[in-house]
Amino acid sequence: MGWSYRIASFRGIELKLHATFLFVVLMVVANWGAAGATGLAYGFGLMTLLFGCVALHEFGHALAARYFGLPVREIVLLPIGGVALLGRPTRNAVQELVIAAAGPAVNVVIIALLAPLLWLIGEPVTMPGSLMRPDGAVPSLAAAVHWLLGVNISLVLFNLLPAFPMDGGRILRGLLGLWLDWRVATRWAARTGQVMAGAMGLWALFTGHVMLGIIAIMVFFAAASAESEERAHGTLSGRRTVDACTRTPIVLADADRVETAVSHLLSSYQTDFAVMRGGDVLGVIERTDILIAIANGGHSQTVADIMRMPVRVQADDSLSNTRQRLLDAEVQVAAVYRGQTFAGLINLTDIEEAEAIFSLMDRRIDMPTRRPPEPRRRVALEA
């Protein structure tokens, strides 16, 4: 989500606008540019309304997630729509259904408000033939309401397509999750999403709809990523943190210099270090901390000057929970403890490697064992 810029915040949820959203703004504004300066201003106003509708849609998801106690990091508005980034995913079917349906429900409410407004101003309730600029349309209140009604109807219909990880695909996963294991439900929803993405891609290819083609590609790979993520969670949730941590790591004293850390970085495979005083972990330093200190000429600094507060996890915690703790804290490394005793270090790379190895081991175990073929019996031929 690089190139995203914070523009507002509501109830602790940051609203960001991706730089590529400006391309959509320019396309719509340019379509109204034939009407002169008034048309340009009108087109910009329509895009502001679109921005508001998409933002409200995503806040529907975000507030529903908050209701269930799930953290929401931010909302990012993109050319293909918006995305509410949750601090951790839900694996509860009912929660998934409610959170996924909350976004389109907001657009349904907007439609329910706009349709009577058209009736009040004496206009027929119709959907415009184009979301760029309907043929023959001129800047007016009626045209704006028609256009906004069409946008919200399109948002509802498009988002309810069962193309995981779009809203319709998540609703499908929630429904499947009521009866199936969550990993199985995710796999079926992801495969359905990829089939839908393939269909959208073919349609885009034959009709020349570039934006639909881009959406199809993104949906296809996002579905594959979601399935892979769920598979990794299943593998890691059954393994302990101590199974993948560095149990005898190189540690640094708080009085050691950055140059000492550099020496260890160059002469070992370790990339993260615990900063200790006696048997107590005061903090941790990551490889990036060391490189930044070097770039700023801080060779002679003590490691205590650049350390950060450690994320503490227990040795018997699942690797899945440890991974989520690191992602929530937006750090790479955690200090592992047995009770109150320091037991080692673990970072996200360790967990990724463990997931790859454990998944291969699990796959090997699940493979049916083949019995060796029985030796052929020799039949003596009597003369």
Side-chain angles (χ1 to χ4, degrees), residues 289-307:
D289 300 324
I290 299 170
L291 296 180
I292 290 172
I294 295 172
N296 293 332
H299 296 74
S300 60
Q301 280 183 294
T302 64
V303 291
D305 294 331
I306 64 169
M307 70 183 183

Side-chain angles (χ1 to χ4, degrees), residues 249-273:
I250 300 169
V251 299
L252 300 167
D254 57 328
D256 284 339
R257 303 291 177 181
V258 170
E259 56 192 6
T260 305
V262 172
S263 175
H264 290 311
L265 198 63
L266 293 172
S267 61
S268 72
Y269 291 105
Q270 198 169 315
T271 57
D272 311 293
F273 305 93

Side-chain angles (χ1 to χ4, degrees), residues 347-379:
N347 60 30
L348 287 173
T349 302
D350 296 330
I351 297 173
E352 289 172 7
E353 187 174 270
E355 189 272 324
I357 294 171
F358 290 142
S359 63
L360 286 174
M361 291 171 61
D362 293 343
R363 201 175 306 165
R364 183 78 178 175
I365 292 171
D366 292 340
M367 290 175 64
T369 304
R370 294 185 179 180
R371 296 178 59 185
E374 295 183 3
R376 294 181 180 177
R377 295 179 181 176
R378 294 183 178 179
V379 180

